[in-house]
Amino acid sequence: LQNYYNVAACDYNVFGVFLYGSQNYGLSTQYSDVDAVAIVFPTYKNIVFKEKDIYKEVIGGNGNFHYQDVRDFFNQLRKGNPNAIEILTTDYYIINSDYTYYWNSIRNNKNIIWQVNPSATFKALEGMYNSYMKKFDSDNKPKNFIGACRVLMLANQFVDFIQWGNEEPSFMLEVCDSWELIGYKLGKLEILNSTIQIKKEKAKSLFHECLDNCEDPEAINVLSLQDGIMIRYLKEVVDNA
């Protein structure tokens, strides 16, 4: 991650670099890539000319690495995007010390951020599951079945969290679940038709549960945290101009 941070710092003021993918789920093996995202601030030119949010893929290294605009990251949090929440919950990250306070303010309230837009989060999880399963039905690749199973488990936790007040969802799988999925990943376990059918029936039942009656709780104002970070950054730009 430090190498990724150093690369990003050559081009932008970096908020932080975060791991995403199999390590966060307990599904990594010795063959797994190290995928990461650098959340970066727009440049002075980006701001003045109101250019689009930054998104840039970086070639090279031992995994996927890209830049994401800090403005887009906070927008995704406000929308309840599971991919943004994964970044928020990972244990593997490097934060720019200038923004530690803001990072801690967000991270310490991640259980509330899960609830900012529950219907959108649920629909996003459903879309992710359907995408993985559609690919699996087409190519029969274990990685797509594994992805569908992982999202289904996360969605089940999310429903229990929103409706029944259970513990907040965790991207990290239980050991028994991760070993089963790693077995599929390494080809040591066969994905049986009966197992596929059970997962599909579970998904059909789960994703038909209604969240319409869920009221959004008093959530922290994610936008105000974004504004606080941007104001500090803009002040630095002006002072150094």
Side-chain angles (χ1 to χ4, degrees):
L1 285 184
Q2 186 63 56
N3 290 337
Y4 285 147
Y5 187 100
N6 294 340
V7 169
C10 292
D11 297 322
Y12 296 98
N13 183 12
V14 181
F15 177 65
V17 173
F18 309 87
L19 190 75
Y20 68 89
S22 58
Q23 289 84 359
N24 289 338
Y25 319 140
L27 295 176
S28 61
T29 69
Q30 59 181 322
Y31 309 108
S32 297
D33 292 336
V34 178
D35 301 328
V37 55
I39 306 298
V40 301
F41 290 95
T43 64
Y44 183 77
K45 177 175 175 288
N46 295 146
I47 296 170
V48 170
F49 293 99
K50 298 182 180 179
E51 295 178 345
K52 293 182 178 179
D53 291 348
I54 300 162
Y55 183 88
K56 177 182 177 182
E57 294 185 358
V58 181
I59 307 300
N62 60 340
N64 297 318
F65 178 51
H66 67 275
Y67 303 159
Q68 182 180 7
D69 196 308
V70 69
R71 296 169 295 182
D72 181 53
F73 173 62
F74 279 98
N75 282 334
Q76 296 306 316
L77 283 181
R78 291 206 300 277
K79 292 176 180 178
N81 186 317
N83 293 324
I85 299 175
E86 178 185 342
I87 292 172
L88 185 66
T89 60
T90 181
D91 291 329
Y92 308 100
Y93 60 85
I94 299 175
I95 292 293
N96 185 330
S97 59
D98 289 341
Y99 306 106
T100 301
Y101 167 79
Y102 297 103
W103 169 248
N104 289 337
S105 297
I106 305 166
R107 188 173 170 85
N108 292 341
N109 287 282
K110 59 182 182 291
N111 65 317
I112 299 177
I113 290 178
W114 268 111
Q115 304 170 68
V116 166
N117 198 337
S119 60
T121 300
F122 189 70
K123 289 176 182 177
L125 290 169
E126 181 180 15
M128 292 166 67
Y129 168 83
N130 288 336
S131 177
Y132 277 123
M133 192 55 79
K134 183 177 180 180
K135 290 178 182 177
F136 177 70
D137 288 340
S138 174
D139 60 25
N140 209 38
K141 290 183 178 179
K143 68 176 184 179
N144 291 320
F145 182 71
I146 292 167
C149 291
R150 177 184 63 79
V151 173
L152 186 60
M153 294 174 194
L154 184 63
N156 190 66
Q157 290 183 58
F158 181 67
V159 170
D160 289 344
F161 173 64
I162 293 296
Q163 292 190 337
W164 311 114
N166 290 6
E167 292 183 5
E168 71 181 66
S170 173
F171 287 87
M172 182 64 69
L173 300 174
E174 296 289 339
V175 174
C176 58
D177 294 324
S178 64
W179 276 110
E180 179 184 351
L181 296 185
I182 287 175
Y184 297 147
K185 189 175 186 178
L186 298 177
K188 295 182 178 181
L189 290 177
E190 181 184 358
I191 303 175
L192 301 175
N193 288 332
S194 58
T195 303
I196 297 170
Q197 191 58 37
I198 288 171
K199 296 299 182 183
K200 287 185 174 181
E201 290 297 324
K202 171 65 178 177
K204 183 178 180 180
S205 172
L206 178 66
F207 290 122
H208 278 78
E209 291 189 30
C210 181
L211 291 181
D212 291 342
N213 295 325
C214 289
E215 296 182 1
D216 291 350
E218 289 295 327
I220 61 171
N221 190 335
V222 182
L223 181 59
S224 69
L225 290 171
Q226 177 187 5
D227 290 344
I229 295 173
M230 292 301 297
I231 289 170
R232 177 168 181 172
Y233 174 65
L234 287 171
K235 184 177 184 301
E236 291 176 0
V237 171
V238 173
D239 290 344
N240 295 324

